[in-house]
Coordinates of all heavy atoms in Angstrom, one line a residue:
G1 N 143.6 268.7 -38.1 CA 142.7 268.1 -37.2 C 141.2 268.1 -37.6 O 140.5 267.2 -37.6
K2 N 140.8 269.3 -38.1 CA 139.4 269.5 -38.6 C 139.2 268.6 -39.8 O 138.2 268.0 -40.0 CB 139.1 270.9 -38.9 CG 138.9 271.7 -37.7 CD 138.0 272.9 -38.0 CE 137.7 273.7 -36.8 NZ 136.6 273.2 -36.0
F3 N 140.2 268.6 -40.7 CA 140.1 267.8 -41.9 C 140.0 266.3 -41.6 O 139.1 265.6 -42.1 CB 141.3 268.0 -42.9 CG 141.3 267.1 -44.1 CD1 140.4 267.4 -45.1 CD2 142.1 266.1 -44.1 CE1 140.4 266.6 -46.2 CE2 142.1 265.2 -45.2 CZ 141.3 265.5 -46.3
V4 N 140.8 265.8 -40.7 CA 140.8 264.4 -40.3 C 139.4 264.1 -39.6 O 138.9 263.0 -39.8 CB 142.0 264.1 -39.4 CG1 141.8 262.7 -38.8 CG2 143.3 264.2 -40.2
M5 N 138.9 265.1 -38.8 CA 137.6 264.8 -38.1 C 136.5 264.6 -39.1 O 135.8 263.7 -39.0 CB 137.3 266.0 -37.2 CG 136.0 265.9 -36.6 SD 135.5 267.3 -35.6 CE 135.3 268.5 -36.9
W6 N 136.4 265.5 -40.1 CA 135.3 265.4 -41.1 C 135.5 264.2 -42.0 O 134.6 263.6 -42.4 CB 135.1 266.7 -41.9 CG 134.5 267.7 -41.0 CD1 135.1 268.9 -40.6 CD2 133.3 267.7 -40.4 NE1 134.3 269.6 -39.8 CE2 133.1 268.9 -39.6 CE3 132.2 266.8 -40.3 CZ2 132.0 269.2 -38.9 CZ3 131.1 267.1 -39.6 CH2 131.0 268.3 -38.9
L7 N 136.8 263.9 -42.3 CA 137.1 262.7 -43.1 C 136.7 261.4 -42.4 O 136.0 260.5 -43.0 CB 138.5 262.7 -43.5 CG 139.0 261.5 -44.4 CD1 138.3 261.6 -45.8 CD2 140.5 261.5 -44.6
S8 N 137.0 261.3 -41.1 CA 136.6 260.1 -40.4 C 135.1 260.1 -40.2 O 134.5 259.0 -40.2 CB 137.3 260.1 -39.0 OG 136.9 261.2 -38.2
F9 N 134.5 261.2 -40.0 CA 133.0 261.3 -39.9 C 132.4 260.7 -41.2 O 131.5 259.8 -41.1 CB 132.5 262.7 -39.7 CG 131.1 262.9 -39.6 CD1 130.5 262.7 -38.3 CD2 130.3 263.2 -40.6 CE1 129.1 262.9 -38.2 CE2 128.9 263.4 -40.5 CZ 128.3 263.2 -39.2
A10 N 132.9 261.1 -42.3 CA 132.3 260.7 -43.6 C 132.6 259.2 -43.8 O 131.7 258.4 -44.2 CB 132.9 261.5 -44.8
L11 N 133.8 258.8 -43.6 CA 134.2 257.3 -43.8 C 133.4 256.4 -42.8 O 133.0 255.3 -43.2 CB 135.7 257.2 -43.7 CG 136.5 257.8 -44.8 CD1 138.0 257.6 -44.5 CD2 136.1 257.2 -46.1
F12 N 133.3 256.8 -41.6 CA 132.5 256.0 -40.6 C 131.1 255.8 -41.1 O 130.6 254.7 -41.1 CB 132.6 256.7 -39.3 CG 131.8 256.0 -38.2 CD1 132.1 254.8 -37.7 CD2 130.6 256.6 -37.8 CE1 131.3 254.1 -36.7 CE2 129.8 256.0 -36.8 CZ 130.2 254.7 -36.3
H13 N 130.4 256.9 -41.5 CA 129.1 256.8 -41.9 C 128.9 256.1 -43.3 O 127.9 255.4 -43.5 CB 128.4 258.1 -41.9 CG 128.2 258.6 -40.5 ND1 129.2 259.3 -39.8 CD2 127.2 258.4 -39.6 CE1 128.7 259.5 -38.6 NE2 127.5 259.0 -38.4
L14 N 129.9 256.2 -44.1 CA 129.9 255.5 -45.4 C 130.0 254.0 -45.1 O 129.3 253.2 -45.7 CB 131.0 255.9 -46.3 CG 131.1 255.2 -47.6 CD1 129.9 255.5 -48.5 CD2 132.4 255.7 -48.3
A15 N 130.9 253.6 -44.1 CA 131.0 252.2 -43.8 C 129.7 251.7 -43.2 O 129.3 250.5 -43.4 CB 132.1 252.0 -42.8
L16 N 129.0 252.5 -42.3 CA 127.7 252.1 -41.8 C 126.7 251.9 -42.9 O 125.9 250.9 -42.8 CB 127.2 253.1 -40.8 CG 127.9 253.2 -39.4 CD1 127.2 254.3 -38.6 CD2 127.8 251.9 -38.7
A17 N 126.7 252.8 -43.9 CA 125.7 252.6 -45.0 C 126.0 251.4 -45.8 O 125.0 250.7 -46.2 CB 125.8 253.9 -45.8
V18 N 127.2 251.1 -46.1 CA 127.6 249.9 -46.8 C 127.2 248.7 -46.1 O 126.6 247.7 -46.6 CB 129.1 249.9 -47.2 CG1 129.5 248.6 -47.7 CG2 129.4 251.0 -48.2
A19 N 127.5 248.6 -44.7 CA 127.1 247.5 -43.9 C 125.6 247.3 -43.9 O 125.1 246.2 -44.0 CB 127.6 247.6 -42.5
A20 N 124.8 248.4 -43.8 CA 123.4 248.3 -43.8 C 122.8 247.8 -45.1 O 122.0 246.9 -45.1 CB 122.8 249.7 -43.5
L21 N 123.4 248.3 -46.2 CA 122.9 247.8 -47.5 C 123.3 246.4 -47.7 O 122.5 245.6 -48.3 CB 123.5 248.7 -48.6 CG 123.0 250.1 -48.7 CD1 123.7 250.9 -49.8 CD2 121.5 250.0 -49.1
F22 N 124.5 246.0 -47.2 CA 124.8 244.6 -47.4 C 123.9 243.6 -46.6 O 123.5 242.6 -47.1 CB 126.3 244.4 -46.9 CG 126.8 242.9 -47.0 CD1 127.0 242.3 -48.2 CD2 126.9 242.2 -45.8 CE1 127.4 241.0 -48.3 CE2 127.3 240.9 -45.9 CZ 127.6 240.3 -47.2
L23 N 123.6 244.1 -45.4 CA 122.7 243.3 -44.6 C 121.3 243.2 -45.2 O 120.6 242.2 -45.1 CB 122.6 243.8 -43.1 CG 123.9 243.5 -42.3 CD1 123.7 244.2 -40.9 CD2 124.1 242.0 -42.1
L24 N 120.8 244.3 -45.7 CA 119.5 244.3 -46.4 C 119.5 243.4 -47.6 O 118.5 242.7 -47.8 CB 119.1 245.8 -46.8 CG 118.8 246.7 -45.7 CD1 118.6 248.1 -46.2 CD2 117.5 246.3 -45.0
W25 N 120.6 243.4 -48.3 CA 120.8 242.5 -49.4 C 120.8 241.0 -49.0 O 120.2 240.2 -49.6 CB 122.0 242.8 -50.2 CG 122.3 241.9 -51.4 CD1 121.6 241.9 -52.6 CD2 123.3 240.9 -51.5 NE1 122.1 240.9 -53.4 CE2 123.2 240.3 -52.7 CE3 124.2 240.5 -50.6 CZ2 124.0 239.3 -53.1 CZ3 125.1 239.5 -50.9 CH2 124.9 238.9 -52.2
C26 N 121.6 240.7 -47.9 CA 121.7 239.4 -47.4 C 120.3 238.8 -47.0 O 120.0 237.6 -47.2 CB 122.7 239.3 -46.3 SG 124.4 239.4 -46.8
Y27 N 119.5 239.6 -46.3 CA 118.3 239.2 -45.8 C 117.1 239.4 -46.8 O 116.0 239.2 -46.5 CB 117.9 239.9 -44.5 CG 118.8 239.3 -43.4 CD1 119.8 240.1 -42.8 CD2 118.6 238.1 -42.8 CE1 120.6 239.6 -41.8 CE2 119.4 237.6 -41.8 CZ 120.4 238.4 -41.3 OH 121.2 237.9 -40.3
Q28 N 117.5 239.9 -48.0 CA 116.5 240.1 -49.1 C 115.3 240.9 -48.7 O 114.2 240.6 -49.0 CB 116.1 238.7 -49.7 CG 117.2 237.9 -50.2 CD 116.7 236.6 -50.7 OE1 115.6 236.2 -50.6 NE2 117.7 235.9 -51.4
V29 N 115.6 242.1 -48.1 CA 114.6 243.0 -47.7 C 114.3 243.9 -48.9 O 115.2 244.5 -49.5 CB 115.1 243.9 -46.5 CG1 114.1 244.9 -46.1 CG2 115.4 243.0 -45.3
Q30 N 113.1 244.0 -49.2 CA 112.6 244.9 -50.3 C 112.6 246.3 -50.0 O 112.4 246.7 -48.8 CB 111.3 244.4 -50.8 CG 111.2 243.0 -51.3 CD 112.1 242.8 -52.5 OE1 112.2 243.6 -53.4 NE2 112.8 241.7 -52.5
P31 N 112.9 247.2 -50.9 CA 112.8 248.7 -50.6 C 111.5 249.1 -50.0 O 111.4 250.0 -49.2 CB 113.1 249.3 -51.9 CG 113.9 248.3 -52.7 CD 113.3 247.0 -52.3
R32 N 110.4 248.5 -50.5 CA 109.1 248.9 -49.9 C 109.0 248.6 -48.5 O 108.3 249.3 -47.7 CB 108.0 248.2 -50.8 CG 106.6 248.6 -50.4 CD 106.3 250.0 -50.7 NE 105.0 250.4 -50.2 CZ 104.5 251.5 -50.4 NH1 105.1 252.4 -51.1 NH2 103.3 251.8 -49.9
Q33 N 109.6 247.5 -48.0 CA 109.6 247.1 -46.6 C 110.3 248.2 -45.8 O 109.9 248.5 -44.7 CB 110.2 245.8 -46.4 CG 109.3 244.6 -46.9 CD 110.1 243.3 -46.8 OE1 111.2 243.2 -47.3 NE2 109.5 242.3 -46.2
V34 N 111.4 248.6 -46.3 CA 112.2 249.7 -45.6 C 111.4 251.0 -45.5 O 111.3 251.6 -44.4 CB 113.6 249.9 -46.3 CG1 114.3 251.0 -45.6 CG2 114.4 248.6 -46.3
Y35 N 110.8 251.3 -46.6 CA 109.9 252.5 -46.6 C 108.8 252.4 -45.6 O 108.5 253.4 -44.9 CB 109.4 252.7 -48.0 CG 108.4 253.9 -48.1 CD1 108.8 255.2 -48.1 CD2 107.0 253.6 -48.2 CE1 108.0 256.2 -48.2 CE2 106.1 254.7 -48.3 CZ 106.6 256.0 -48.3 OH 105.7 257.0 -48.3
D36 N 108.1 251.3 -45.6 CA 107.0 251.1 -44.6 C 107.5 251.2 -43.2 O 106.8 251.7 -42.3 CB 106.3 249.8 -44.9 CG 105.6 249.7 -46.2 OD1 105.3 250.8 -46.8 OD2 105.3 248.6 -46.7
W37 N 108.7 250.6 -42.9 CA 109.2 250.7 -41.6 C 109.6 252.1 -41.2 O 109.3 252.5 -40.1 CB 110.5 249.8 -41.6 CG 111.2 249.8 -40.2 CD1 110.7 249.2 -39.1 CD2 112.4 250.4 -39.9 NE1 111.6 249.4 -38.1 CE2 112.7 250.1 -38.6 CE3 113.4 251.1 -40.6 CZ2 113.8 250.5 -37.9 CZ3 114.5 251.5 -40.0 CH2 114.7 251.2 -38.7
L38 N 110.1 252.9 -42.1 CA 110.4 254.3 -41.8 C 109.2 255.1 -41.6 O 109.1 256.0 -40.7 CB 111.3 254.9 -42.9 CG 112.7 254.4 -43.0 CD1 113.4 254.9 -44.3 CD2 113.5 254.7 -41.8
V39 N 108.1 254.8 -42.4 CA 106.8 255.5 -42.2 C 106.2 255.1 -40.8 O 105.7 256.0 -40.1 CB 105.9 255.2 -43.3 CG1 104.5 255.7 -43.0 CG2 106.4 255.9 -44.6
A40 N 106.4 253.9 -40.4 CA 105.8 253.4 -39.1 C 106.5 254.1 -38.0 O 105.9 254.5 -37.0 CB 105.9 251.9 -39.0

């Protein structure tokens, strides 16, 4: 159960990261814009 919990945690967040990177690529957002947004 602990192994499945941490595996699902990792896979869920990996899927979120891939989806976020795909959306950033689709909307042609530059890395500097993301950095400025995080600083803001």
Side-chain angles (χ1 to χ4, degrees):
K2 284 207 180 277
F3 175 74
V4 170
M5 177 186 64
W6 289 114
L7 181 66
S8 64
F9 182 84
L11 291 177
F12 173 73
H13 289 87
L14 180 64
L16 285 179
V18 168
L21 288 174
F22 179 73
L23 288 174
L24 289 173
W25 176 74
C26 283
Y27 289 106
Q28 298 178 354
V29 177
Q30 298 299 320
R32 183 67 186 184
Q33 291 173 304
V34 175
Y35 174 77
D36 291 340
W37 180 70
L38 291 173
V39 168

